[in-house]
Amino acid sequence: MTPIISIRGLSKTYASGFEALKHIDLEIRRGEIFALLGPNGAGKTTLIGAVCGLVRPSGGSIHADGHDIARDYRAARTKIGLVPQELSTDAFETVWATVSFSRGLFGKPRDPAFVEKLLRQLSLWDKKDAKIMTLSGGMKRRVMIAKALSHEPTILFLDEPTAGVDVELRRDMWEMVRGLRASGVTIILTTHYIEEAEEMADRIGVISRGRILLVEDKAALMAKLGKKQLTLHLQAPLAQIPAAFAGEPLELSADGNALTYTFDAQSEATGIGALLRRLNEQGIDFKSLQSSESSLEDIFVSLVREQA
Amino acid sequence: MNFYAIRAIYRFEMARFGRTLMQSLASPVLSTSLYFIVFGTAIGSRIGAIDGISYGAFIIPGLVMLSLLSESISNASFGIYMPKFTGTIYELLSAPVSWAEALVGYVGAAASKSMILGALILVTARLFVPYEIAHPFWMVAFLALTAVTFSLFGFIIGVWADGFEKLQIVPLMVITPLTFLGGSFYSINMLPPLWQKIALINPVVYLISGFRWSFYGVSDVHVGVSAAMIGVFLVACLLLIRWIFKSGYRLRN
Ligand SMILES: Nc1ncnc2c1ncn2[C@@H]1O[C@H](COP(=O)(O)OP(=O)(O)O)[C@@H](O)[C@H]1O
Ligand SMILES: [Mg+2]
């Protein structure tokens, strides 16, 4: 299947001389939720801006649904909706007027029934005649989402959608994102919260300092780079790790009651069998054991650290 | 052609005008009325006719131009500056809208507003001074051309400005002096010969002269020259705006 967005050799050097994107190659699959994960200043907003027409690329090419975003900008932009990172709205407009305006701006004829449906979905219906300046921050963000969806785009960009958002809106937003994907919309979101990428995305791209470090199915990424930990709760506390285990990836808890063994979940020989036998030989007994997978966070931190 | 976008922008801008109707119309109408009372009626009664036109009637075209220029510039510059200032411009920049379409929406609305205002001032003037319009078609044509041209100019200022001071400074420091010195209140022919030549550098002289011709059939410079000068300025503004959009100057990073 051809990718819905294809970015080749994209670079961006700002007027200040700062190189915010360095030869980015990236393909987004049709219908997926893609999370672009990276620390502040990594270049996420710049990358989105380049696709949406807010940032002039210094080099490379971008295609959206087969259309070159520079040469065939009309066709490309009609497909794209953008919810930017910053809350920026027309204070004096009503919710209804601003959403209708967006629909017109993106070349769609008026459709009050559709706008009503959209506002209801976003719990904005009873605010439709309210001036935007009278709304709370969370409501304003809903308005921006409604604007982005007003022309029925097939690609939706959400730049840091949950930064500074309350729990309720976050839940509604994820529900909406899942609903959109079910209806065939491709969603690209940026975040520096790993849990968010972990919770929502089908695939994850990690960006740092203007480079894409990796792109991977979420599950594959977790499995590939994920470490597992086995924690043994001991019958009797240990003062220190016995000398026989020197060099093993073992850690003793501060109170001496638990031993933690870190191993690679993917490798053939995890070494667990041998470890348990040797503990037995040493007369170290345990009450219970529990294993846990490392989160994306750990993966992310180790990736970015590797690069630094 | 993205007709829906043009309509959306035009409506949005006109809605802003509607919200501030009193400010937009009342203050220019009031200040024009004051000019008529002071210059037309009080002082004007002691000033002789110029080119056979009573002084009160003589100043009407200049006063309309004065408001038309400043309102066209401020409407259009504000219209594009505000989205830049609040950040809502992201939407225009990411929309499937060509520069020409955006321009028709923004400049069309700004020019419409100042033409409404111009008409209102003419009606107000009628309350103070009886006047005739010799060439109504050309009067409307000059009004429309000037409104469009200076709305384009205002649009450029709005894109260029990166603060409210800059937004104000051009109308205040450039346009107002040029209009006052451009023959709103006197005929260029009344100046000493050297100053007559210097005055011809002032583009507003051509506007007011042409506009006055459409009322009374008399002008300081030939009406064809006036029309040509407006045309040149209009094309210059259009080329500059085309460059602004193509290069992304002060709009795109
Ligand atoms: N207009 C600009 N001029 C110069 N540098 C910029 C500009 N916008 C962003 N940058 C820089 O580019 C880098 C990437 O920014 P951004 O794309 O906003 O990152 P992110 O969204 O990942 O936090 C940052 O170091 C930022 O300071
Ligand atoms: Mg950002």
Side-chain angles (χ1 to χ4, degrees):
Chain A
M1 201 163 60
T2 54
I4 194 157
I5 291 180
S6 140
I7 299 172
R8 274 186 226 299
L10 176 67
S11 57
K12 173 62 187 177
T13 306
Y14 279 110
S16 62
F18 183 81
E19 209 181 344
L21 296 177
K22 297 165 186 161
H23 205 88
I24 300 267
D25 290 311
L26 182 63
E27 288 188 344
I28 308 292
R29 294 178 190 157
R30 204 169 287 272
E32 72 176 341
I33 299 179
F34 185 90
L36 194 58
L37 180 64
N40 275 326
K44 303 183 293 295
T45 299
T46 306
L47 180 57
I48 287 187
V51 179
C52 296
L54 306 180
V55 169
R56 252 163 209 276
S58 312
S61 69
I62 304 172
H63 290 259
D65 209 5
H67 306 286
D68 184 301
I69 60 134
R71 231 169 299 128
D72 201 3
Y73 70 94
R74 265 191 217 278
R77 290 183 190 175
T78 306
K79 307 274 166 121
I80 299 176
L82 165 66
V83 183
Q85 187 172 355
E86 306 289 336
L87 265 184
S88 36
T89 48
D90 290 300
F92 302 101
E93 292 289 316
T94 65
V95 171
W96 179 269
T98 201
V99 175
S100 304
F101 167 81
S102 300
R103 187 172 167 87
L105 197 62
F106 279 76
K108 286 278 159 76
R110 300 187 52 175
D111 185 347
F114 174 77
V115 174
E116 176 174 346
K117 194 180 95 190
L118 190 57
L119 294 185
R120 284 190 190 281
Q121 262 172 12
L122 286 159
S123 313
L124 282 169
W125 182 244
D126 45 332
K127 296 279 184 198
K128 73 180 164 62
D129 296 318
K131 289 206 161 121
I132 296 172
M133 63 182 171
T134 65
L135 302 180
S136 68
M139 280 292 178
K140 283 185 184 141
R141 196 165 286 273
R142 286 174 199 256
V143 171
M144 294 192 66
I145 297 171
K147 281 166 82 71
L149 293 172
S150 65
H151 61 284
E152 301 159 72
T154 51
I155 305 167
L156 179 66
F157 284 93
L158 298 164
D159 197 357
E160 311 253 352
T162 54
V165 152
D166 60 31
V167 179
E168 189 190 0
L169 176 53
R170 183 188 286 235
R171 200 188 52 220
D172 285 5
M173 193 136 56
W174 289 156
E175 201 175 301
M176 183 201 76
V177 164
R178 290 199 177 95
L180 284 170
R181 185 184 55 176
S183 70
V185 176
T186 306
I187 293 132
I188 298 104
L189 59 94
T190 73
T191 179
H192 55 261
Y193 298 122
I194 286 120
E195 316 83 70
E196 217 157 85
E198 202 166 353
E199 188 186 339
M200 292 302 302
D202 299 313
R203 286 198 310 150
I204 293 172
V206 177
I207 184 172
S208 175
R209 300 173 189 212
R211 281 185 218 282
I212 298 274
L213 304 184
L214 92 168
V215 176
E216 203 72 73
D217 277 339
K218 181 177 65 183
L221 178 63
M222 304 280 301
K224 186 162 152 191
L225 291 160
K227 298 259 195 276
K228 279 196 170 184
Q229 289 188 322
L230 181 71
T231 304
L232 305 164
H233 298 281
L234 306 176
Q235 285 287 6
L238 287 174
Q240 60 191 62
I241 296 173
F245 296 98
E248 293 282 348
L250 270 177
E251 262 178 89
L252 187 64
S253 64
D255 61 7
N257 277 320
L259 264 178
T260 303
Y261 176 69
T262 305
F263 61 98
D264 193 335
Q266 290 310 101
S267 88
E268 295 287 309
T270 58
I272 293 176
L275 174 77
L276 295 185
R277 258 195 318 278
R278 286 171 64 201
L279 283 171
N280 199 19
E281 282 161 21
Q282 298 284 324
I284 301 172
D285 208 0
F286 49 89
K287 289 187 281 200
S288 66
L289 80 181
Q290 130 202 15
S291 78
S292 61
E293 284 174 55
S294 65
S295 68
L296 252 178
E297 173 125 31
D298 307 323
I299 300 171
F300 181 63
V301 168
S302 68
L303 258 176
V304 173
R305 195 179 293 140
E306 252 167 54
Q307 283 287 314
Chain B
M1 251 280 274
N2 188 346
F3 166 74
Y4 295 114
I6 297 176
R7 189 176 67 177
I9 295 171
Y10 187 87
R11 283 223 180 123
F12 178 89
E13 286 296 297
M14 291 310 270
R16 193 161 56 78
F17 179 56
R19 277 196 302 269
T20 56
L21 201 60
M22 282 311 283
Q23 277 150 271
S24 312
L25 295 181
S27 102
V29 169
L30 181 69
S31 65
T32 314
S33 303
L34 291 174
Y35 279 121
F36 280 119
I37 293 167
V38 175
F39 290 106
T41 316
I43 300 176
S45 58
R46 297 175 178 234
I47 299 177
I50 301 175
D51 298 332
I53 307 154
S54 81
Y55 189 69
F58 180 85
I59 62 172
I60 290 170
L63 285 179
V64 173
M65 278 289 162
L66 190 68
S67 290
L68 200 66
L69 296 194
S70 60
E71 287 301 308
S72 296
I73 291 175
S74 78
N75 281 331
S77 61
F78 203 73
I80 191 68
Y81 178 78
M82 277 315 280
K84 277 200 328 171
F85 179 71
T86 60
T88 54
I89 189 128
Y90 82 86
E91 207 176 12
L92 179 67
L93 296 180
S94 64
V97 177
S98 73
W99 69 273
E101 288 156 359
L103 207 58
V104 172
Y106 279 105
V107 168
S112 302
K113 292 179 219 176
S114 49
M115 284 181 69
I116 292 171
L117 180 76
L120 201 63
I121 291 176
L122 281 176
V123 171
T124 311
R126 203 78 176 76
L127 303 177
F128 295 91
V129 193
Y131 62 86
E132 303 295 327
I133 299 170
H135 308 285
F137 171 79
W138 288 108
M139 193 281 282
V140 175
F142 268 112
L143 199 70
L145 261 179
T146 307
V148 168
T149 304
F150 281 82
S151 296
L152 287 171
F153 186 58
F155 190 88
I156 295 170
I157 292 172
V159 171
W160 163 77
D162 49 15
F164 279 98
E165 308 81 51
K166 281 195 182 174
L167 206 57
Q168 312 276 351
I169 206 157
V170 174
L172 197 68
M173 303 297 280
V174 182
I175 300 301
T176 307
L178 287 183
T179 326
F180 273 88
L181 300 176
S184 299
F185 299 103
Y186 52 85
S187 166
I188 299 301
N189 299 327
M190 294 160 76
L191 297 172
L194 177 64
W195 284 102
Q196 284 191 28
K197 293 230 162 52
I198 293 174
L200 292 180
I201 302 170
N202 180 355
V204 179
V205 165
Y206 300 90
L207 293 178
I208 293 178
S209 169
F211 197 47
R212 188 176 290 136
W213 170 85
S214 72
F215 280 74
Y216 308 123
V218 294
S219 56
D220 292 340
V221 294
H222 191 275
V223 62
V225 177
S226 290
M229 288 295 285
I230 302 178
V232 167
F233 194 45
L234 182 116
V235 170
C237 288
L238 277 176
L239 290 176
L240 191 54
I241 291 173
R242 200 179 90 114
W243 172 82
I244 284 173
F245 276 101
K246 298 257 165 192
S247 70
Y249 172 79
R250 297 229 166 149
L251 289 177
R252 285 192 170 89
N253 280 315

